[in-house]
Amino acid sequence: MIKYIALYRRPDEPEDFDEKYFGSHLPLIEKTPGLVRWEVAKVQRVFVPGFLGESEPYLVAEMYFADEAALKTALQSPEWQAAGSNLSEIGGLDLVAMFAAEVAR
């Protein structure tokens, strides 16, 4: 299994961002082909301050796929492209670092 992780830093207006992210972005993510499951968590506490420099983590989104091939297919899908366009529209691309990780256990 492989997961795609999006780590968001705190936006200037968290309530406005949440409304757009949960209201328009996540419904698009749910339509991604090959998506096995997903979860979004709001960061409550940072135990090692400064690890991310000046940035304060805000959200962690994890999207799980069966394997790398499924992830590659998802990344090329119109649904993923629509979600990416939406993220840009709501200002999320300025807040996020994204990466993939193979689930080891």
Side-chain angles (χ1 to χ4, degrees), residues 48-98:
V48 182
F51 178 73
L52 298 172
E54 298 288 320
S55 296
E56 181 183 346
Y58 183 66
L59 286 179
V60 180
E62 296 177 294
M63 294 146 276
Y64 294 81
F65 298 87
D67 53 31
E68 191 172 347
L71 174 59
K72 285 181 181 179
T73 298
L75 296 177
Q76 296 171 355
S77 72
E79 294 86 355
W80 188 266
Q81 300 306 313
S85 293
N86 172 264
L87 190 59
S88 180
E89 290 168 10
I90 67 172
L93 286 180
D94 296 332
L95 302 171
V96 71
M98 298 180 236

